[in-house]
Amino acid sequence: MTEEFSRAVDDGLKLSKRIYFGKDRSMVPPPKPPASMVRSPNAFLPTAPMVYAVIYDPVIVDNPDIPSYQPHVYGRCDPPALIPLQMNDIEMEANCYLDTAFVTVSGTWRVHCVTGSRACDCRLAIPMGHQGSILGVEVSAPRKSYSTQLVVMEDNNQNESSTSAQNGGFLKSNIFTLTIPQIDGGSNLSIKIHWYQKLEYCNGQYSLNVPFSFPDFVNPAAKRMSKKEKIQVNVDAVAGSELLCKTISHPLKEMRRHAGSMGFLYDSEVLSWSKIDFSFSYAVSSSHINGCVLLESASAHDFDQREMFYMYLSPGDVQSKVFRKDIIFIIDISGSMQGKLIDDTKNALLSALSKLNPDDKFTIIAFNGESYLFSKSMELASKDAVERATDWINENFVAGGGTNISHPLNTAIEMLSSAQSSVPIIFLVTDGTVEDERQICAMVKNHMINGESICPRIYTFGIGSFCNHYFLRMLAMIGRGQYDAAVDVDLIEPQMLTLFEKASSLILANIKMDILDDIDQLEVYPSHIPDLSSEGPLILSGRYKGNFPETLKVKGVLADFSNFEIDMKIQKAKDIPVQK
């Protein structure tokens, strides 16, 4: 799908050569990608919010202001060509709250490539940052306007036909597209886009990264025409905390700063649009594990009128001791994993093995319909053991057969039942589905209830769009681990390693909250509290009825197996939208 989109843009840029802008205008030549991208099938994927004219009939391609009287073009474009529209202004506002950013992009695009007497559909493409999720789109055009809304999909043919891929959807896991019907040539389109994305956390810093690199061919054709580019960033963390700005990609000016809050603004007239992605990072100064609880009442329109809470536990910016690991990698080698999937998974696994500490222990279980063990006992992660594991992986990772997760998972739990002075971890990677998900979850849940002081943590990683991601997410929650996925298969290796880094850097385990006797109808997500990693904060949220205590005591076990205890401050959520 991405290759088809890129080819359609390439066709559209060639078609736009027909457009004449007059003697006092500069022609906008087709872009010349870097040499490394010339042969790339995805060279023309959007690197910033973009709008394209969808061209089926090439006859309509012309300057709406100055007819060019080009020779007639016979035939139709099938699939349609996509001509990038010229952009007249762009604004972005990002509001960062704890581990989440809410981003709004507003812009104006002109249908500069369709004669004034004709109309065409327009395709909006929105690349988003880390774990981005679209919230809504608003479109204004002459004599018409559109806005998106959330609808409940039912399993019937009518809804299936009304939501075809041509109308919109995800081009890639981070690129959302939407079709805007029949916009007149020469019209201006005003579009406002809302989404949220997770802030990335690394080395004690929170980072916001937004695709904001615009190609030359979206600049208006007029010479020396100044354009308005505006970026606003607001950061609201826990009240009273000290915020430290680290890196900024664009020339933002600090507009306000208070304890736990700061704001920046960039507002300028430019001759060409931003050529780099927007990036902004900051740190919340703290030398130790810290956190707080935010409270908020339900809105009048909320169907659930229980009160809301949001608990935030941060690892701090001083490197803490991490737990020693006993880790078992359970890797899917079924037939559907053949080719790039198993190759990238193997590369990520080999990289993970090389990052184990010498006092860690490990083994590997490869599975399809059967299970294959590297070692029947846990091996110290010595150089020799890692080399033998590498040879075993190269010999045994051959895709074929079905998928049986239950047997290798049971084997791993039994092998880790005697783990001592460490955190036992199961790291499951699969691209498939099984029929006994309920039985597997029930088995793991029973073991968690009846297990040892630190029972096996289960980290799950799903590959592709056909994997049962809900099952993997539930399995990780029951196993007090974490879940991640690479729906885009090009991201298997980096995202699998990111999840491994989180599993490898646990600093606080067996986290518990004091029994909240005065709280009724308590609901907490995730229901099984995962461990705290130095690679990111721990977030718990939920609903309740009753009076929340003035302080909340959180307990856990540190890496040296000493007890940890902290009194969490309770605050009313004034500037942080807990409900979102």
Side-chain angles (χ1 to χ4, degrees), residues 38 179 268 390 457 554:
V38 169
T179 298
S268 179
T390 300
R457 277 33 180 165
V554 174

Side-chain angles (χ1 to χ4, degrees), residues 36 70 113 169 177 197 209 273 305 311 339 490 494 512 523 562:
S36 60
Q70 293 281 353
C113 54
T177 64
Q197 62 184 66
N209 298 289
W273 300 118
Q305 285 297 302
M311 193 191 91
D490 291 331
K512 299 177 182 178
E523 181 181 358
S562 63

Side-chain angles (χ1 to χ4, degrees), residues 217-233:
F217 47 82
V218 302
N219 287 311
K223 293 181 179 179
R224 297 180 299 277
M225 177 180 174
S226 65
K227 301 166 283 291
K228 182 181 179 182
E229 188 173 76
K230 181 178 179 181
I231 300 174
Q232 184 174 353
V233 179

Side-chain angles (χ1 to χ4, degrees), residues 4-15 30-31 44 81-82 84:
E4 293 174 1
F5 185 93
S6 191
R7 282 198 299 268
V9 176
D10 191 19
D11 292 341
L13 290 167
K14 293 174 182 176
L15 194 58
F44 294 116
L82 298 176

Side-chain angles (χ1 to χ4, degrees), residues 383-457:
K383 182 179 179 181
D384 174 67
V386 172
E387 289 177 351
R388 286 188 288 108
T390 300
D391 293 339
W392 184 87
I393 290 169
N394 290 328
E395 181 180 345
N396 288 274
F397 274 39
V398 179
T403 305
N404 182 350
I405 294 176
S406 180
H407 183 264
L409 192 58
N410 268 304
T411 301
I413 290 175
E414 290 176 7
M415 292 181 68
L416 293 172
S417 61
S418 59
Q420 295 180 350
S421 302
S422 65
V423 170
I425 296 172
I426 295 172
F427 198 96
L428 171 65
V429 180
T430 181
D431 75 328
T433 60
V434 292
E435 297 180 354
D436 56 345
E437 297 103 331
R438 291 179 180 271
Q439 292 86 343
I440 293 173
C441 288
M443 178 271 295
V444 172
K445 190 173 183 179
N446 183 65
H447 182 82
M448 297 300 130
I449 295 173
N450 301 320
E452 298 74 25
S453 58
I454 298 185
C455 48
R457 277 33 180 165

Side-chain angles (χ1 to χ4, degrees), residues 234-248:
N234 300 304
V235 179
D236 287 287
V238 178
S241 57
E242 181 184 0
L243 298 177
L244 305 174
C245 181
K246 293 296 185 179
T247 60
I248 304 176

Side-chain angles (χ1 to χ4, degrees), residues 521-540:
Q521 300 182 30
L522 177 65
E523 181 181 358
V524 182
Y525 181 84
S527 56
H528 298 74
I529 302 176
D531 303 321
L532 176 64
S533 166
S534 62
E535 292 297 308
L538 171 62
I539 305 296
L540 298 176

